[in-house]
Amino acid sequence: MADRLFRFGVVAGMAGDADQWIGLARHAEDLGYATFLTPDTLNTLPPLLSLSAAAAATTSIGLGTFVLAAPYRRPAQLAWEVAGLSLLSGGRFELGLGAGRPHAREDAARLGVPFGSPDQRIRQLEDVIHQTRKWPGPSGPKITGPSGPTTSGPSGPKTTRPSGPTAEGLSEPKAMARREATAKEPGAAAGPAPRLLIAASGARMMGFAARNADTVALGLPASTPEDGLAEHVRLIRQASDDFDGLELSAGLHVVGDEVPPWLVRQMGSDVPEDSIAVLRGTPRQMADRLLHRRDAHHISYITVNAMYADRLAPVVELLSRT
């Protein structure tokens, strides 16, 4: 089995004001989380704008969309904005994409854009990926600084982040393949496109994600038991041409025994004791369960709602980058 290092991400989409939002991002960074992630709904903060604010307030944590609905935006416009955020975050941005969550059709109607059929939405995803990989970006002329190559931009020199496992979380063959693929695009950017996460629930989307993404985020319901992961991972392995270089992700809905009533209603009444969305016990017991999940199902990227960030933090300390 390929080495898969644990990563942990905090998902946040709401704040009372700018100071509280910045505080959430900084707190996630201080706790040792790898990424600070934002959803894409009309009931939460606009994802790219809110991540820009988080980028300005933090120094090392990765920043990602979790996930952008492809039907909401024109692919070329999104590629332009992604290139800008990648530059302004110092290369910390990770692009998360999806074909639309269950209630995305209603949001698309409010935005005045067509939601489209599954075929149309998958073609939109393909277009977004293509545009993002070829977009030239707003970088200025290269200059040499004391720490190596830098990019001169509106705010002055910025040291570029190194590629490879420590910077991108990818195996070196996977990172090299992505850089080579990017370089072949007509008009491609000088640097690699952002790391790409694709959320998937059905077999077709899992196959698409396995072929196109660096990370596949399993969008499975809380009713999924631990052994229910096996078939989904089998489909991904079957579809991928580089399964060992592919990161698999699963989200936690609950950490511990306290569950707010609204979340109980959202999860439903058919949540099994060994639900993949629920993690209970001591930090050591929780860590051991995630270790078993990685050994059995190759899942190493764990995401959690910001309200449980502190509760999961001891597990993050035990497992991050191991």
Side-chain angles (χ1 to χ4, degrees), residues 197-289:
L197 174 148
I198 296 179
S201 54
R204 184 179 180 187
M205 272 302 298
M206 286 185 184
F208 177 86
R211 292 186 295 274
N212 290 281
D214 302 308
T215 302
V216 179
L218 300 175
L220 303 177
S223 58
T224 306
E226 195 73 33
D227 61 7
L229 289 166
E231 177 60 16
H232 300 288
V233 174
R234 186 192 67 78
L235 290 171
I236 292 168
R237 180 194 287 274
Q238 189 175 40
S240 175
D241 58 1
D242 182 21
F243 184 75
D244 286 345
L246 190 63
E247 182 181 59
L248 302 185
S249 175
L252 296 173
H253 296 182
V254 175
V255 178
D257 295 314
E258 297 177 17
V259 189
W262 64 267
L263 186 53
V264 172
R265 292 192 296 271
Q266 186 181 88
M267 291 171 62
S269 59
D270 57 346
V271 178
E273 186 64 28
D274 65 340
S275 165
I276 62 168
V278 179
L279 197 62
R280 296 191 173 99
T282 66
R284 184 67 262 171
Q285 288 170 332
M286 289 190 280
D288 287 344
R289 185 175 177 196

Side-chain angles (χ1 to χ4, degrees), residues 1-21:
M1 184 183 77
D3 290 335
R4 285 181 163 83
L5 301 180
F6 275 109
R7 293 203 304 157
F8 293 86
V10 171
V11 183
M14 299 288 289
D17 55 32
D19 288 341
Q20 187 181 35
W21 178 251

Side-chain angles (χ1 to χ4, degrees), residues 28-289:
E29 184 173 64
D30 291 343
L31 290 174
Y33 283 88
T35 52
F36 185 69
L37 308 167
T38 57
D40 189 19
T41 81
L42 298 189
N43 297 317
T44 54
L45 290 168
L48 296 177
L49 285 175
S50 57
L51 288 176
S52 296
T58 57
T59 59
S60 61
I61 194 169
L63 306 155
T65 49
F66 199 73
V67 297
L68 294 181
Y72 294 176
R73 300 166 182 85
R74 294 175 179 170
Q77 180 179 5
L78 179 55
W80 171 41
E81 294 178 354
V82 163
L85 185 49
S86 295
L87 175 73
L88 295 175
S89 65
R92 289 184 284 144
F93 178 65
E94 302 184 12
L95 177 60
L97 294 172
R101 60 194 173 82
H103 297 292
R105 185 181 298 276
E106 289 84 349
D107 282 359
R110 288 179 63 190
L111 291 169
V113 295
F115 189 63
S117 67
D119 283 344
Q120 289 170 325
R121 299 201 305 275
I122 288 176
R123 284 197 293 271
Q124 285 176 303
L125 274 176
E126 291 174 331
D127 198 6
V128 169
I129 293 167
H130 173 77
Q131 294 285 351
T132 300
R133 286 176 174 165
K134 78 170 188 177
W135 197 265
S139 59
K142 297 288 196 252
I143 61 175
T144 300
S147 300
T150 62
T151 298
S152 178
S155 58
K158 180 72 178 178
T159 302
T160 57
R161 288 164 59 85
S163 61
T166 56
E168 296 175 297
L170 299 174
S171 64
E172 183 54 33
K174 182 83 171 181
M176 182 65 73
R178 191 177 65 177
R179 288 194 291 271
E180 289 175 353
T182 300
K184 292 175 184 176
E185 292 279 6
R195 181 184 182 88
L196 176 62
L197 174 148
I198 296 179
S201 54
R204 184 179 180 187
M205 272 302 298
M206 286 185 184
F208 177 86
R211 292 186 295 274
N212 290 281
D214 302 308
T215 302
V216 179
L218 300 175
L220 303 177
S223 58
T224 306
E226 195 73 33
D227 61 7
L229 289 166
E231 177 60 16
H232 300 288
V233 174
R234 186 192 67 78
L235 290 171
I236 292 168
R237 180 194 287 274
Q238 189 175 40
S240 175
D241 58 1
D242 182 21
F243 184 75
D244 286 345
L246 190 63
E247 182 181 59
L248 302 185
S249 175
L252 296 173
H253 296 182
V254 175
V255 178
D257 295 314
E258 297 177 17
V259 189
W262 64 267
L263 186 53
V264 172
R265 292 192 296 271
Q266 186 181 88
M267 291 171 62
S269 59
D270 57 346
V271 178
E273 186 64 28
D274 65 340
S275 165
I276 62 168
V278 179
L279 197 62
R280 296 191 173 99
T282 66
R284 184 67 262 171
Q285 288 170 332
M286 289 190 280
D288 287 344
R289 185 175 177 196

